[in-house]
Amino acid sequence: MNARIRRRRGAACRWVTAILLGITVAVTGCATTDSPLPPEAKPLSNSTSQPSAIPGAMTAPSPSGTAAPTAAPDTCADGRPVRASVDPANPMPVPGQMPPGSAMAAIVDRGYLRVGISTDVPPFGSMNWQKLELEGFDVDIAKEIAKALFGTADGRVRFQAVTIDDRINVISRGDVDIVVAIMTITCERKQKLRFSGVYYESGLRLLVRRNAGFTRIEDLAGFHVCSTTGSTSLAKLKNLPQPAPALVAMERTANCLVAFQTGQVDAIATDDVILAGMASQDPYTEVLPAAFDHALGNELRTLEEPYGVAMRMTGNTVSDDQFVAFVNGVLRNVMQGGRWKQIYDRWLGAELGSTDSPLAKNANWPH
């Protein structure tokens, strides 16, 4: 490794407090390219001194000893696309005047909407300790649904913090009315829950240091790139053609962040929304929006993770469809009227660049 890269890494070292996925990690000290990787790291080669020799297709063992999973199928067992949902309500009911006997009427009668939300995944959901309130992309989407129910979101939303593991249980028990928490729509989950149409689609991106000279994944050949063990992101990275980066697998994204900020890896590859949260807290980093446009080909260019609003499956198909149609009507209006772009620009635009809403990208939305 040349002296220029060594100096760049040394300059990047500093005290770091990273809050990610509910884990607070304090990092001190500086590291050079010769520093050993943390114990949590699992370099995907027999030696970290020759990263360029690592075959891009080498299998990275997950904690269970199996290969990392591939992306979810586009079509479920019933023959319907995984993204398929109910047509939006048309016309939409007047706020405060929901159809009698509907799930929406029960919420209005109660006086507030109960929302399961992630509180540790900025910029989608996190606590603003200065204002003592939750904020983020998902928070704003939930408030739009409350506005459609009550005419205003003020005093009409009660958020309940949910973790990645307990989201399904919380909504299935009826503890909340909806879950808006970066929840990917999958065929398996659709057997237990009802989902809206896609309101955001994340993709595989790269986080690098500003002015490091990297613009595409090809520029990182011979450098260390970190991703999480057993993730679909890591599975995509193993398809990179040679010469490829040296892949480093860690159990948690927070561990990748520690290794990155101490100069032990050169980039992090994962969902763009997670990287945007990291970049918003560190002005010396940037997310590369088109890093994989050529390396993986069009069919593998992004790791698609379609997020949807989750609702309880009550067994009453007519009632469930009515609630999903209402939520889809809200999302349609948010995307058609420009509100979606305002929310996106506020929380993600600076780090991820401009993009269109799922409705603008898919004329057949929400199918």
Side-chain angles (χ1 to χ4, degrees):
M1 190 67 65
N2 62 42
R4 179 174 63 87
I5 297 296
R6 189 185 302 274
R7 286 195 301 271
R8 180 182 298 151
R9 280 185 166 179
C13 296
R14 57 194 178 277
W15 285 87
V16 179
T17 300
I19 302 177
L20 180 66
L21 304 178
I23 302 170
T24 303
V25 184
V27 184
T28 62
C30 292
T32 68
T33 56
D34 299 322
S35 300
L37 290 167
E40 299 89 348
K42 298 178 178 64
L44 306 187
S45 70
N46 294 326
S47 171
T48 59
S49 61
Q50 299 293 332
S52 61
I54 301 172
M58 181 176 290
T59 300
S62 66
S64 63
T66 59
T70 56
D74 291 332
T75 304
C76 298
D78 60 3
R80 301 185 66 200
V82 66
R83 301 161 181 264
S85 187
V86 176
D87 287 332
N90 188 22
M92 287 286 286
V94 176
Q97 302 178 29
M98 298 296 118
S102 66
M104 300 87 74
I107 295 170
V108 170
D109 290 343
R110 184 197 306 132
Y112 55 89
L113 175 68
R114 302 172 303 170
V115 181
I117 199 88
S118 296
T119 60
D120 54 8
V121 187
F124 268 63
S126 62
M127 177 62 72
N128 183 324
W129 292 106
Q130 291 182 331
K131 297 181 179 180
L132 295 179
E133 63 183 22
L134 288 169
E135 63 181 19
F137 192 103
D138 280 346
V139 174
D140 285 353
I141 291 294
K143 288 181 178 179
E144 292 299 320
I145 297 173
K147 288 179 185 177
L149 286 164
F150 298 101
T152 179
D154 295 341
R156 298 294 189 174
V157 184
R158 293 192 182 180
F159 291 108
Q160 177 174 328
V162 296
T163 65
I164 299 299
D165 289 337
D166 71 1
R167 292 176 300 185
I168 293 178
N169 291 332
V170 168
I171 189 67
S172 296
R173 290 195 304 262
D175 295 348
V176 296
D177 302 305
I178 59 175
V179 167
V180 193
I182 58 169
M183 195 165 188
T184 302
I185 305 170
T186 68
C187 295
E188 181 180 3
R189 288 172 178 169
K190 290 181 77 171
Q191 295 177 4
K192 304 174 183 178
L193 307 174
R194 299 300 301 270
F195 277 96
S196 71
V198 178
Y199 70 87
Y200 184 81
E201 186 167 38
S202 69
L204 178 62
R205 304 283 181 94
L206 276 177
L207 182 78
V208 299
R209 297 177 185 87
R210 287 191 182 276
N211 303 317
F214 304 130
T215 58
R216 302 190 305 173
I217 187 65
E218 291 90 341
D219 299 332
L220 282 150
F223 292 85
H224 287 92
V225 174
C226 189
S227 194
T228 48
T229 303
S231 68
T232 46
S233 297
L234 189 60
K236 291 287 186 180
L237 293 172
K238 291 191 299 176
N239 289 322
L240 290 171
Q242 292 295 326
L247 303 183
V248 177
M250 296 191 182
E251 291 185 4
R252 298 179 183 275
T253 307
N255 293 338
C256 282
L257 180 60
V258 171
F260 175 73
Q261 291 183 312
T262 54
Q264 297 169 66
V265 298
D266 303 280
I268 301 174
T270 188
D271 284 7
D272 53 12
V273 294
I274 297 176
L275 297 182
M278 295 180 185
S280 68
Q281 299 177 41
D282 189 341
Y284 298 99
T285 65
E286 63 178 338
V287 178
L288 301 181
F292 294 95
D293 279 8
H294 304 287
L296 297 177
N298 290 333
E299 72 281 2
L300 296 175
R301 183 167 59 187
T302 58
L303 174 61
E304 296 180 347
E305 298 286 354
Y307 297 159
V309 177
M311 288 150 277
R312 186 183 183 189
M313 184 180 288
T314 67
N316 185 332
T317 303
V318 174
S319 177
D320 291 350
D321 283 352
Q322 189 179 36
F323 192 18
V324 176
F326 174 81
V327 172
N328 280 343
V330 176
L331 296 177
R332 174 200 58 202
N333 293 345
V334 166
M335 289 188 277
Q336 283 183 341
R339 177 61 178 146
W340 187 93
K341 188 177 187 306
Q342 292 176 348
I343 296 172
Y344 176 87
D345 287 345
R346 179 184 181 189
W347 298 112
L348 299 168
E351 282 75 33
L352 300 183
S354 179
T355 191
D356 293 323
S357 72
L359 177 63
K361 294 178 180 178
N362 177 15
N364 199 35
W365 186 94
H367 302 291

